[in-house]
Amino acid sequence: MSQSIQSVRGMNDILPGESESWEVFEQTARAWLKSYGYRPIRLPIVEPTPLFTRAIGEVTDIVEKEMYSFEDSLNGERLTLRPEGTAGCVRAVIQHNLAAQRPQRLYYMGPMFRHERPQKGRYRQFSQVGVEAFGFAGPDIDAELILMGARLWSDLGLEGVRLELNSLGQPGERANYRAELVAYFGKYADSLDEDSRRRLRTNPLRILDSKNPAMRELIAGAPKLTAHLGAGSMAHFEGVQQVLRDVGLAYEINPRLVRGLDYYNLTVFEWVTDRLGAQGTVCAGGRYDGLVEQLGGKPMPACGFAMGVERLVALMRESGDDPEPDAMDVYLVHQGDAASRLAPRVAESLRDAGIGVLFHCGGGSFKSQMKKADASGAAFAVIIGDDEAGAGEVTLKALRAEGNEQKRVGLDRVADEIMNAFFDGDDA
Ligand code: ATP
Ligand code: MG
């Protein structure tokens, strides 16, 4: 016997039992996005590597060490499995001139790929829902994006997801801050971990984003960006907070929140929970007004967020409700030559009427088929033997009702009988 092949480390199968929760998540998310007027955009999973290096920034976790890149063996082009969705979305907006006439509210869902060390809540293939708004400059859209998050958590029945907010100001304002940070961390160069020492030279803001607990105290004492924000940035930040206060959404300003990607300016935010251990950020985003131009488009304000579906589904399941797979309406039992010729037609006619049918495959005695029908959880067995087939009828048996009533029903009446029983059941 040859050895079986396993999935790639950090890339998981999602099996029935859990996949139902994913469907609940996706259906809830689609309805929620629609209710805010966001439209779906479907993007490729592979993009040219330079798209990500230019968009995300050379000195970021993603570009430094997490991208799955390869050479197209036909033409030598450098390609990358997308590590996130914003870059591709911006590329598509530029390429198709999408937001030239009017602003666009867009969303996408799907797998992202990062070469990380796999652990709970951190995988090499993971799924995001990303939401992006193009062409809106004011704080109102930032606030809308944040309010959306709160509504989704409530639609999903999640509690204890809290909002952290910060402003990164504009690139010019960050330059002064950068100098101050370099001076501060420079004093403690001996206490910096290796990553941070490197970043002190390349991208000191990123030190604040360090996940190393040993760095926490040092980071807590670092100077704050807020002191460097100009009047315009302060007004924008205040505008966002004003809406949140008006609507009554609680938030906490976290001056260390810098986000792991280079393209952000002004508003940044994260939704965080304590219930998932170390990987507690379920959703993160912010404004990225410079990115469209940076990727070759006409300057255009933009902002958005992405959420990690694995973490949200984990939170849904942690909150205790595992959705049961929908029980089937009918299990179709059939035996005998004439019956088995008739059975597929009966099943299809029931499905025409919107009734779900689990069709017995594989033959066997009536008794063994009826056992499977009982075990299936279906509401009814539709039973066809040669006797029924000859008479143009079926036997309809209620599997979950008291007394397991059964009766013979003409072929043209089966769907109606079942539908009526369902509606009667609803009244009761
Ligand atoms: P982290 O700080 O956890 O590494 P990040 O800043 O790299 O997150 P983003 O790029 O902002 O994450 O992605 C948005 C969301 O996607 C995260 O908040 C998280 O919920 C999810 N996410 C990111 N990386 C992974 C991963 N490797 N596995 C599972 N979910 C992830
Ligand atoms: Mg990361």
Side-chain angles (χ1 to χ4, degrees), residues 114 116 121-123 126 128 211 259 281-282 284 306 308 311:
R114 298 185 192 178
E116 306 210 60
R122 196 174 285 289
Y123 310 103
F126 62 98
Q128 287 185 338
K211 305 243 159 33
R259 307 287 302 109
T281 303
V282 293
R311 295 183 193 177

Side-chain angles (χ1 to χ4, degrees), residues 61-62 66 83-84 112-117 119-129 209 211 259-261 263-264 270-271 278-285 305-312:
D61 282 346
I62 292 180
E66 294 175 359
E84 54 102 59
M112 305 293 161
F113 301 83
R114 298 185 192 178
H115 201 280
E116 306 210 60
R117 190 170 69 77
Q119 53 195 292
K120 181 170 178 268
R122 196 174 285 289
Y123 310 103
R124 292 180 170 172
Q125 174 174 332
F126 62 98
S127 194
Q128 287 185 338
V129 174
D209 196 41
K211 305 243 159 33
R259 307 287 302 109
L261 307 88
Y263 50 59
Y264 289 109
E270 289 194 357
W271 288 97
Q279 265 50 259
T281 303
V282 293
C283 175
F305 61 79
M307 60 185 99
V309 180
E310 283 78 5
R311 295 183 193 177
L312 286 163

Side-chain angles (χ1 to χ4, degrees), residues 65-204:
K65 53 192 178 198
E66 294 175 359
M67 294 205 298
Y68 282 92
S69 298
F70 57 98
E71 204 166 272
D72 184 324
S73 60
L74 290 183
N75 62 7
E77 192 182 2
R78 291 294 295 170
L79 302 176
T80 295
L81 298 186
R82 62 181 187 193
E84 54 102 59
T86 302
C89 191
V90 170
R91 181 206 42 73
V93 164
I94 297 170
Q95 184 172 335
H96 305 285
N97 216 5
L98 268 191
Q101 306 305 322
R102 65 189 69 85
Q104 295 280 328
R105 288 175 162 94
L106 302 171
Y107 79 86
Y108 47 83
M109 307 185 172
M112 305 293 161
F113 301 83
R114 298 185 192 178
H115 201 280
E116 306 210 60
R117 190 170 69 77
Q119 53 195 292
K120 181 170 178 268
R122 196 174 285 289
Y123 310 103
R124 292 180 170 172
Q125 174 174 332
F126 62 98
S127 194
Q128 287 185 338
V129 174
V131 178
E132 319 283 357
F134 293 92
F136 301 96
D140 45 3
I141 191 79
D142 310 37
E144 172 177 293
L145 291 170
I146 291 169
L147 293 174
M148 284 176 79
R151 179 168 304 280
L152 182 61
W153 319 145
S154 111
D155 288 353
L156 292 170
L158 304 180
E159 283 168 10
V161 186
R162 57 168 206 282
L163 173 61
E164 296 191 0
L165 194 61
N166 194 21
S167 174
L168 295 182
Q170 300 295 6
E173 297 158 355
R174 284 205 299 266
N176 297 331
Y177 177 57
R178 187 190 150 108
E180 200 176 311
L181 265 189
V182 171
Y184 171 80
F185 284 120
K187 274 192 303 194
Y188 300 99
D190 291 345
S191 324
L192 295 179
D193 62 14
E194 193 189 314
D195 266 351
S196 301
R197 216 169 306 145
R198 191 163 38 83
R199 284 172 176 182
L200 189 57
R201 279 176 276 114
T202 53
N203 192 344

Side-chain angles (χ1 to χ4, degrees), residues 224-247:
K224 293 177 183 168
L225 173 57
T226 327
H228 295 270
L229 297 187
S233 297
M234 287 306 280
H236 189 98
F237 195 27
E238 181 49 42
V240 177
Q241 294 177 60
Q242 184 66 55
V243 177
L244 303 185
R245 286 196 300 268
D246 287 346
V247 179

Side-chain angles (χ1 to χ4, degrees), residues 146-392:
I146 291 169
L147 293 174
M148 284 176 79
R151 179 168 304 280
L152 182 61
W153 319 145
S154 111
D155 288 353
L156 292 170
L158 304 180
E159 283 168 10
V161 186
R162 57 168 206 282
L163 173 61
E164 296 191 0
L165 194 61
N166 194 21
S167 174
L168 295 182
Q170 300 295 6
E173 297 158 355
R174 284 205 299 266
N176 297 331
Y177 177 57
R178 187 190 150 108
E180 200 176 311
L181 265 189
V182 171
Y184 171 80
F185 284 120
K187 274 192 303 194
Y188 300 99
D190 291 345
S191 324
L192 295 179
D193 62 14
E194 193 189 314
D195 266 351
S196 301
R197 216 169 306 145
R198 191 163 38 83
R199 284 172 176 182
L200 189 57
R201 279 176 276 114
T202 53
N203 192 344
L205 244 78
R206 189 93 318 121
I207 299 176
L208 301 179
D209 196 41
S210 165
K211 305 243 159 33
N212 183 354
M215 295 285 301
R216 203 167 290 153
E217 210 174 312
L218 203 54
I219 289 171
K224 293 177 183 168
L225 173 57
T226 327
H228 295 270
L229 297 187
S233 297
M234 287 306 280
H236 189 98
F237 195 27
E238 181 49 42
V240 177
Q241 294 177 60
Q242 184 66 55
V243 177
L244 303 185
R245 286 196 300 268
D246 287 346
V247 179
L249 185 68
Y251 61 91
E252 183 192 325
I253 293 181
N254 175 358
R256 318 285 163 212
L257 185 64
V258 293
R259 307 287 302 109
L261 307 88
D262 269 357
Y263 50 59
Y264 289 109
N265 68 315
L266 294 174
T267 318
V268 289
F269 60 91
E270 289 194 357
W271 288 97
V272 187
T273 174
D274 298 324
R275 300 184 186 185
L276 292 176
Q279 265 50 259
T281 303
V282 293
C283 175
R287 184 164 277 281
Y288 51 91
D289 291 329
L291 187 57
V292 177
E293 187 178 19
Q294 194 180 312
L295 292 179
K298 292 208 193 75
M300 182 186 304
C303 52
F305 61 79
M307 60 185 99
V309 180
E310 283 78 5
R311 295 183 193 177
L312 286 163
V313 169
L315 209 51
M316 287 164 68
R317 289 162 63 79
E318 204 244 9
S319 317
D321 45 35
D322 269 344
E324 291 287 319
D326 280 343
M328 294 300 289
D329 302 322
V330 163
Y331 193 100
L332 202 148
V333 169
H334 54 97
Q335 208 214 17
D337 286 345
S340 294
R341 293 280 303 277
L342 177 60
R345 281 193 283 138
V346 173
E348 289 305 317
S349 73
L350 293 177
R351 293 179 185 124
D352 285 343
I355 295 166
V357 181
L358 205 52
F359 186 85
H360 180 83
C361 289
S365 67
F366 269 124
K367 195 171 165 213
S368 74
Q369 292 192 37
M370 282 310 296
K371 265 197 192 146
K372 294 197 167 111
D374 277 321
S376 74
F380 292 96
V382 166
I383 304 159
I384 310 175
D386 282 343
D387 191 25
E388 281 91 344

